[in-house]
Amino acid sequence: MRIVVLVSGTGSNLQAVIDAVADGTLNVTLAAVGADRPGTGGVQRAAEAGIATFEVDFRRYTDRAAWNRALTDAVAGYEPDYVVSSGFMRIVDQHFLDRFPDRYLNTHPALLPSFPGAHGVRDALAYGVKVTGCTVMIADAGVDTGPILAQAPVAVLPDDTEETLHERIKVEERRLLIETLAGLAAASPAGSADPSATVTGA
Ligand code: GRF
């Protein structure tokens, strides 16, 4: 199963996927890592791991649809079975979604449908919930909508800041993303990344 991962930030969740692939925990091919802006930590991590990288800089496009088309073409060039948004802070349009139907996964640092949007951790903390968590879902054209594939709870501690809570959520988010990808790889008609796992003569 081939995946392309999209990032906007530091890519610590991406690093967990890279490590899981490297140590054999996750049997997928990381075909490429792409970003919506230059100089992300995520692309740097990928380059250091010898993974192909690309950038489709949102600010270089005056037309959002043109940026979506360019992103779609860049991702499609790597022929992924799944595309993973891992801290990719842009909403893609229908053109992109039609190219990868039910093949675009997203992670979110809250228990959807509560606290969607760019500040899921901050909003949960401000509301005063005692339990939040993370969600892996199939992304659609909405903001953190789409069918939920997996969720994990994380307790909010009395002295939590947005940063301390987000770090504990990310631990669960990484585990959940890797588990979800492993499950999809096991079920994928594309098969696993390990050629020795190919069944012949069955
Ligand atoms: C994750 O919590 C993701 O859900 C959110 O941003 C974080 C990504 O962090 N949108 P990193 O770039 O993987 O460190």
Side-chain angles (χ1 to χ4, degrees):
M1 186 175 95
R2 293 169 62 79
I3 65 170
V4 168
V5 179
L6 299 178
V7 295
S8 296
T10 60
S12 64
N13 289 359
L14 164 69
Q15 187 67 55
V17 174
I18 293 172
D19 293 346
V21 171
D23 71 17
T25 312
L26 177 59
N27 201 5
V28 306
T29 298
L30 252 170
V33 171
D36 60 333
R37 61 188 181 87
T40 59
V43 160
Q44 192 179 331
R45 289 172 191 272
E48 282 166 11
I51 298 163
T53 65
F54 62 92
E55 290 162 347
V56 185
D57 188 354
F58 186 82
R59 285 166 302 185
R60 291 181 58 137
Y61 293 79
T62 48
D63 176 357
R64 195 176 182 99
W67 174 79
N68 266 279
R69 283 196 301 275
L71 179 71
T72 304
D73 290 346
V75 173
Y78 292 97
E79 301 184 345
D81 297 298
Y82 284 92
V83 185
V84 180
S85 161
S86 183
F88 188 59
M89 303 305 280
R90 303 273 176 202
I91 302 295
V92 296
D93 71 4
Q94 203 59 45
H95 176 76
F96 182 98
L97 295 169
D98 287 346
R99 182 65 184 74
F100 309 105
D102 296 332
R103 291 286 188 270
Y104 184 42
L105 308 182
N106 190 18
T107 69
H108 182 71
L111 291 175
L112 294 170
S114 294
F115 311 115
H119 304 293
V121 180
R122 185 188 308 171
D123 294 346
L125 202 53
Y127 194 93
V129 295
K130 302 302 178 198
V131 176
T132 182
C134 53
T135 303
V136 177
M137 73 272 196
I138 297 173
D140 62 15
V143 177
D144 297 322
T145 52
I148 291 171
L149 297 179
Q151 290 186 305
V154 174
V156 180
L157 303 180
D159 56 354
D160 259 334
T161 63
E162 183 179 353
E163 289 70 32
T164 59
L165 180 56
H166 200 169
E167 278 312 309
R168 286 206 316 288
I169 290 172
K170 280 190 184 184
V171 172
E172 289 302 304
E173 208 176 353
R174 292 166 193 146
R175 183 184 62 73
L176 208 61
L177 176 59
I178 290 165
E179 270 181 25
T180 303
L181 288 170
L184 291 169
S188 170
S192 70
D194 178 5
S196 67
T198 304
V199 178
T200 55

